[in-house]
Amino acid sequence: MSTVDERLDGVAFNTDGLVPAIVQQHDTRDVLMMAWMNREALRLTLTTGRAVYWSRSRGELWRKGDTSGHTQRVIGVRVDCDADTVLLEVDQVGAACHTGTRTCFDADGEYTDRDLNPVTGDA
Amino acid sequence: MSTVDERLDGVAFNTDGLVPAIVQQHDTRDVLMMAWMNREALRLTLTTGRAVYWSRSRGELWRKGDTSGHTQRVIGVRVDCDADTVLLEVDQVGAACHTGTRTCFDADGEYTDRDLNPVTGDA
């Protein structure tokens, strides 16, 4: 069994030292959000069982829920085939999105089947 | 109803002109993969109903399945709260991953609950 440091060595952080983390609710399997992690954020996520991210706008670590109370308990963490993307399975308390919706994909940005069809669309 | 161009104008592509696209199987809700799209890839995805991505390594558009036969029929496309991430619901034919596994997150990169616990871990 490898140490946390050995595991972190296997992750392909990008030139900014970050990996995208896809966050999925473990039971409903809703995709809740996407955020970024640096090595320290991933280490804290792996070792504390609470999801921690890197805020690119604020330039600091943020532990999900510290301000909002909407914590994420980490159930599983995987990396993808080329180790440059992380998938977190979590148990989300309340809203995952800062707008107050359960997921960050609940907004008006949803397209319908019809919109994908160039024949029935208006593009 | 907005045109495809108006919708594309609402997407916050990054400084490289790209957005990350999270790809989810519509029925099992497995997260299959993550890839990148530029404006043209997203336009083609929206207007043809087949998932098209931008290959950062090859510097070209790639329509999923053209080489492997493992196509993705697009069922729904959403953007997140700040419009800088795309969520695709697809119907995946065969393996989503170029390694031949159903998802790109099937590899040895899977961590277990125990590994997240610093008390029982070996870090």
Side-chain angles (χ1 to χ4, degrees):
Chain A
M1 181 169 158
S2 56
T3 66
V4 169
D5 263 325
E6 284 168 349
R7 286 160 191 224
L8 292 168
D9 287 344
V11 176
F13 294 96
N14 69 15
T15 53
D16 293 325
L18 302 175
V19 283
I22 301 166
V23 188
Q24 184 174 35
Q25 172 67 23
H26 74 103
D27 47 8
T28 65
R29 312 204 81 202
D30 285 337
V31 174
L32 298 173
M33 55 179 276
M34 205 279 279
W36 294 84
M37 290 184 172
N38 63 4
R39 185 178 171 113
E40 184 62 11
L42 183 51
R43 177 200 304 279
L44 289 168
T45 298
L46 290 173
T47 56
T48 68
R50 280 274 305 274
V52 177
Y53 305 102
W54 176 255
S55 169
R56 295 177 303 168
S57 56
R58 296 195 304 274
E60 62 182 22
L61 294 168
W62 56 286
R63 189 167 65 168
K64 181 72 177 169
D66 275 357
T67 304
S68 64
H70 296 157
T71 57
Q72 292 174 339
R73 182 169 64 84
V74 177
I75 291 174
V77 183
R78 303 181 189 197
V79 294
D80 74 345
C81 52
D82 46 9
D84 65 359
T85 304
V86 167
L87 177 61
L88 248 67
E89 285 181 286
V90 303
D91 191 21
Q92 170 75 54
V93 172
C97 189
H98 71 286
T99 63
T101 56
R102 175 69 178 171
T103 90
C104 289
F105 297 95
D106 283 340
D108 293 339
E110 182 169 0
Y111 299 93
T112 68
D113 284 5
R114 189 161 63 89
D115 297 334
L116 300 174
N117 187 331
V119 178
T120 58
D122 58 354
Chain B
M1 178 168 159
S2 56
T3 66
V4 169
D5 263 324
E6 284 168 349
R7 285 158 191 224
L8 292 168
D9 288 344
V11 176
F13 295 96
N14 69 16
T15 53
D16 293 326
L18 302 175
V19 283
I22 301 166
V23 188
Q24 184 175 35
Q25 173 67 24
H26 73 103
D27 46 9
T28 65
R29 313 205 79 200
D30 285 338
V31 174
L32 299 173
M33 54 181 277
M34 204 280 279
W36 293 84
M37 291 183 170
N38 63 4
R39 185 178 172 112
E40 184 61 11
L42 183 51
R43 178 201 303 280
L44 290 168
T45 298
L46 290 174
T47 56
T48 69
R50 281 273 306 273
V52 177
Y53 305 102
W54 176 256
S55 169
R56 296 177 302 168
S57 57
R58 296 195 305 275
E60 63 183 20
L61 292 169
W62 58 285
R63 188 167 65 168
K64 181 73 178 167
D66 275 357
T67 303
S68 64
H70 296 158
T71 56
Q72 292 174 339
R73 181 169 64 84
V74 177
I75 292 176
V77 183
R78 302 181 189 197
V79 294
D80 74 346
C81 51
D82 46 9
D84 65 359
T85 304
V86 167
L87 177 61
L88 249 65
E89 285 181 288
V90 304
D91 191 21
Q92 170 74 55
V93 172
C97 189
H98 71 286
T99 64
T101 56
R102 176 68 178 172
T103 90
C104 289
F105 297 94
D106 284 340
D108 293 338
E110 182 167 358
Y111 300 93
T112 68
D113 283 5
R114 190 163 62 91
D115 297 334
L116 299 176
N117 188 332
V119 178
T120 59
D122 58 354

